[in-house]
Structure formats: structure tokens, C-alpha cells
Amino acid sequence: MTTPRVLFMSLCLLAIWATPASVIADKFTYIDEDGQRQSIEAKIYATGNGVIALEKNDGGLELVPEARVMERVPSRDPLPVTPVQMLDQLKERFGEEKFRGIVSGQYVIGVVLMAPLPKVSEKKVEGALRKSAGYMQSISKTFETFAKQAKVNPQTPKYPLVVLIFETDEIFEDFTAKETGNKGLSAGNIAGFYSQLTNGLYIRMSECYTFATPLHEAIHQQCFNTGVLPRLAPLPKWFVEGMATGFEGAGDKVKGDPLKLNQQYAKSIAETGSIPGDLDWNLVASVDRIFGADVFAGEAYFHAWSMHWLMVSKYRDKYIKFMQAMSQLEPLTDAKPDDQKKAFEAAFGKSPNAFQSEFIPAFLAAAKRERFKPEVETQPGVMSRQTNLAGVDIFAETNELQVAVRGSLRNISPIRDMSYYVVVMTESGTYADWHIHNLKMNAVYQMRPTALQKVAQGGLGGPGRTFSVRVHAVPADSPDAARWSKGDFPPVSQRRLIVR
């Protein structure tokens, strides 16, 4: 039963939301999830489904249930924070001891450190930040060119574009778990991400060794800050992720855009003659949640690239109209799975599945036209990873009784010498480990051949057929490194091993 007070509040809220959102920024008072009163100066970015999105002066969006808003008082329109002001806020948030940052145009790029830096590393951090800044600027230029080709006029970003690089996997995963609320992919399986709510891009430092993940996430940041796509709108995941996977880099250079073949995906298709997995395109185009499931995400991204490449390269005019339609979607509105499939069919004239059979012939023709030649695998059977400031190459030899492993590890930290504790484990919980103390920057350590005979906590033991690797990393001059030198290593359990 609706009480007079609730009815009065509902009528007041209707009057509140009737004010045009773009006119002025107001002071909102609301009750948060803990029952505490909060006040914020912001513009209304969007409303829908009982939620109001408040746009703050740093570009972040605060989602507040309409029913929790107690008061709205007209206020001055706050100016967007400048990149320099944003850098100062980040220093205060993370602490000057464990944060270094730089401003480059509209970009604010920072490194969140695991420990205070020795003085000899200060110039190295500055050099790494400048290199990252140059790369981000090149991404902006490449994206602008593509957007103009797609006849969508990109705007100059209104707010600072924040890029945070986390030195170790542990601090990145802790931050990610809090930022995402452990929704979607598990933090251990996320290499980096762009948040539509905070408007920031967050990345592991290990991913800056090849720059592939920063490029992908930076394209998302460009899309949502140049007016090409609206934040919090019901955009199809295949389209958003397909566009981002279309841009490809070569180290710290951007060399490809969605009109060209992605070399990584093209190599796999050329080797097998098909796209990995058995997902059909009707599903990929309709069910966004497969992109957030650990078990399907890799295949979904592969198919998203394939769909996007086919549409933008073979059906250019229809693609442009579809992209323009996506740019007009309303934030905080819902789209049912059938709605996305219908939008696809309306734009391209047939179902996604009907296009799926066209992909391989179109791919083969493009590969011939671009003279694509897959790189020959120089070391077959080697598993290579860049993880936790280490570049590891692992080779395993398996027989009926055990798995023996050898390999190498490179210190890929651009800023300091490191100590490592490496664990290679089979699915049965048998493992081998190596301790590498005080490895200089860019130096390589050869891991001697070792049988996987130890049994982890919770492991069953016995022979295994597959293996995974986990690298722990700490500064070479840290207390943790000193403990490892005395044999006091992190505990090894099958449950805690992270596969990346």
C-alpha cells in the first residue's frame, strides 16, 4: 500500500527528473547502500530502469537508485577536472611513495607500485611512462582515422583519459576484484579492462611488454570518450569487442585497424581452417554474457573479431549505418537478446548465422590479397607467457610416470631488479618449483630440467597430462625476497594456482 509520504516523494522525483539534463549541474543528496547520506555535485547523464546516472567532473558516473535521492539543489556547472588536477588526485589516492604519473595531452598515465622505488629506478619509471604516453597518443590518431572512415565524427574527449598500470598481478587483481565486485570474468583471468563507470583504463604492467591488451582497452576508452558510442547503452558485445580486437599492434606500434586481418586470429584460422570452438553467430550476436564467462570468453572474442571484420570489410555501407545507429542508443535502457539479433538483421539483411558460412571464403580471399603468411613456430611445444613481470617459456616432456619441465624466465620489469618464485603444476596437483633471486632487468635465467614430483596442498598426486604456471614476483631488495632466500616460499595449493 502506498503511503501519502511515498506518493509525495514519487511526485517530487518526477519533477526532479523533468529538468533538462544538459542545462546545469546540481547538488544531489542521496542515501547510499549503507544507509548513509551522501552529497555529490553532478549532471544527470541518463535515467532508466529506476536508476539515475550522475556525471561527475572527473568523467566518472555514479549510479543511484531514483528512490534513494532525497534532495536536488541547483548549483553551478562544475568545470571538468584538468589532466594535472586528475594526476594530483591519483597521487593522493595511492600515496606518493607508491605512485608515479605523467600528463600527456588529455591522457593521465600512472604506475601503481608494489613498493617504494629505489632512486636508481626513478628515471626508468619516467622513461616507461613517456613510452606509454607516446603509445596512447598513437592509438588516438589511429582510432580517429578509422572513425572518420566510418563516417562517425569523433569528438575531442571532455575529461582526462586515465590509464593506470599496476606493477604486479597481486595488486592488479585486488584492485580489479573491488572495482568489478567480482562480477563477470574472475580477476585472475582479466589482463586489463576499461570501466564505463569510472572511465579509467586499468592494466597489468606485464601486459605492457607487448602492449596488446592496453591497445584493446584503449580502443574502448576512445569509443566512449569521443562520442562514437554512448556509455551504459545496450550495445551488442560482439560489436564493441569486435571493433576493439580489430586494432592490432606490433610491440609499441599500432599497425592494424578493423579493415585488415588480425594477425593473431588469422594465424589460428590459417592453421586449422576454422574458428576455434563451436559457437554459432546467432548466439554470439544475441547473448552478451558469454563474453563474461571464463569458459566461453576466449572463443566469443574470436568470433566477435570474425563477425566485425566481415561486416566492416565486405558490407561497408551497411556497417556504417549500423555503427551510426549504435551511436544513438539510449543509456540505461534494456535490450532483450532478440532485440540485438533483430537489429543485426535489420542492418545487414539476414541473420548472423547466415553470414557465418561466408566468413572462411572471405577470409581466404583476404589472406591471399594481403599475402598473409603464418609465422612458423620456431619452438614447438613451448608454452610462453608474460605474467607478473616475467616472460616465461616452458617446455614439458611427458611419459607414463611423470612430467619433466625445463624453460627460461626473463625479467620484463622496466623499472627494477626482481626475485621470482615459479611453480609449474599438473592438473593432478604435482608440481616443480624454482627460486630465482635478484634477476637484473631484461636478464634471462635458465630453469634447469625438473620432474613434477612434489604434491601441492589439496592435490591428488600422480601423473598429469596438462600443466599451468604461476609466477610470484617481488623486488629483489624487499623483505619478501629475503625470506625466499631462506627457503620461506609462498604456500603452494592446487586451488590457488592461477592459469593465465
Side-chain angles (χ1 to χ4, degrees), residues 229-454:
L229 295 175
R231 289 154 74 184
L232 305 185
L235 297 160
K237 278 282 191 178
W238 77 265
F239 179 70
V240 175
E241 299 300 342
M243 184 189 301
T245 55
F247 291 85
E248 190 177 19
D252 58 351
K253 305 292 183 184
V254 183
K255 70 171 185 179
D257 62 44
L259 288 167
K260 301 173 184 175
L261 293 177
N262 179 301
Q263 298 295 295
Q264 176 188 347
Y265 290 141
K267 176 179 180 292
S268 179
I269 295 169
E271 289 174 349
T272 63
S274 64
I275 305 172
D278 56 0
L279 296 176
D280 68 70
W281 283 13
N282 278 351
L283 180 71
V284 177
S286 317
V287 183
D288 287 349
R289 65 177 179 271
I290 63 175
F291 289 89
D294 290 343
V295 68
F296 286 124
E299 293 178 17
Y301 280 80
F302 211 126
H303 284 273
W305 171 77
S306 304
M307 290 174 64
H308 188 272
W309 174 81
L310 183 65
M311 300 310 146
V312 72
S313 62
K314 192 173 179 181
Y315 296 90
R316 188 73 174 281
D317 292 341
K318 293 179 178 179
Y319 173 85
I320 289 172
K321 291 180 180 178
F322 183 75
M323 188 172 183
Q324 292 169 340
M326 294 298 99
S327 71
Q328 300 302 313
L329 290 177
E330 291 293 328
L332 293 181
T333 56
D334 287 330
K336 299 176 182 177
D338 283 347
D339 292 340
Q340 293 190 350
K341 183 169 174 288
K342 287 175 182 176
F344 183 100
E345 292 169 348
F348 297 107
K350 48 187 172 181
S351 72
N353 271 3
F355 279 110
Q356 195 163 7
S357 61
E358 294 184 20
F359 173 75
I360 292 299
F363 167 81
L364 293 174
K368 183 177 181 180
R369 188 168 57 250
E370 294 184 24
R371 298 180 179 178
F372 170 75
K373 293 182 179 180
E375 294 181 3
V376 178
E377 193 72 56
T378 55
Q379 289 182 291
V382 174
M383 182 184 77
S384 298
R385 293 283 187 276
Q386 284 81 47
T387 178
N388 221 9
L389 301 178
V392 291
D393 294 315
I394 303 293
F395 180 78
E397 296 176 336
T398 307
N399 57 40
E400 293 181 359
L401 299 177
Q402 65 182 19
V403 177
V405 172
R406 57 182 169 84
S408 63
L409 182 147
R410 180 186 298 274
N411 177 0
I412 62 173
S413 169
I415 62 176
R416 61 171 117 208
D417 301 338
M418 300 293 298
S419 289
Y420 299 94
Y421 177 59
V422 184
V423 177
V424 175
M425 185 184 297
T426 69
E427 80 281 4
S428 66
T430 55
Y431 74 95
D433 56 352
W434 295 261
H435 172 227
I436 305 157
H437 180 61
N438 198 9
L439 190 63
K440 303 298 181 183
M441 283 180 285
N442 207 40
V444 177
Y445 177 88
Q446 297 298 326
M447 299 159 61
R448 68 183 185 281
T450 306
L452 277 63
Q453 294 178 325
K454 299 179 180 179

Side-chain angles (χ1 to χ4, degrees), residues 450-478:
T450 306
L452 277 63
Q453 294 178 325
K454 299 179 180 179
V455 180
Q457 298 173 16
L460 298 175
R465 294 180 176 274
T466 62
F467 66 91
S468 53
V469 61
R470 174 73 190 265
V471 177
H472 300 268
V474 295
D477 58 357
S478 68

Side-chain angles (χ1 to χ4, degrees), residues 13 32 45 59 88 140 172 210 385 396 432-433 454 467 487:
L13 289 172
D32 66 17
Y45 173 75
D88 288 339
S140 296
F172 171 82
T210 63
R385 293 283 187 276
D433 56 352
K454 299 179 180 179
F467 66 91

Side-chain angles (χ1 to χ4, degrees), residues 475-498:
D477 58 357
S478 68
D480 283 333
R483 283 194 295 271
W484 292 359
S485 292
K486 296 176 182 178
D488 184 8
F489 300 120
V492 179
S493 69
Q494 190 172 26
R495 184 184 70 257
R496 290 180 57 192
L497 193 71
I498 295 174

Side-chain angles (χ1 to χ4, degrees), residues 86-100 110-113 162-166 171 175 179 202:
M86 189 74 247
L87 182 61
D88 288 339
Q89 290 180 18
L90 292 170
K91 287 179 181 176
E92 184 177 352
R93 177 180 180 182
F94 293 103
E96 294 208 12
E97 271 199 339
K98 293 188 178 180
F99 181 83
R100 299 292 185 275
V111 174
V112 181
L113 301 165
V162 174
V163 180
L164 291 182
I165 302 166
F166 293 81
I171 56 177
F175 176 88
E179 199 73 18
Y202 311 108

Side-chain angles (χ1 to χ4, degrees), residues 121-142:
S121 292
E122 292 291 351
K123 288 187 177 180
K124 297 183 184 300
V125 171
E126 184 179 346
L129 285 168
R130 293 193 182 283
K131 181 179 179 180
S132 298
Y135 185 59
M136 290 298 163
Q137 294 293 352
S138 69
I139 291 172
S140 296
K141 292 177 183 177
T142 303

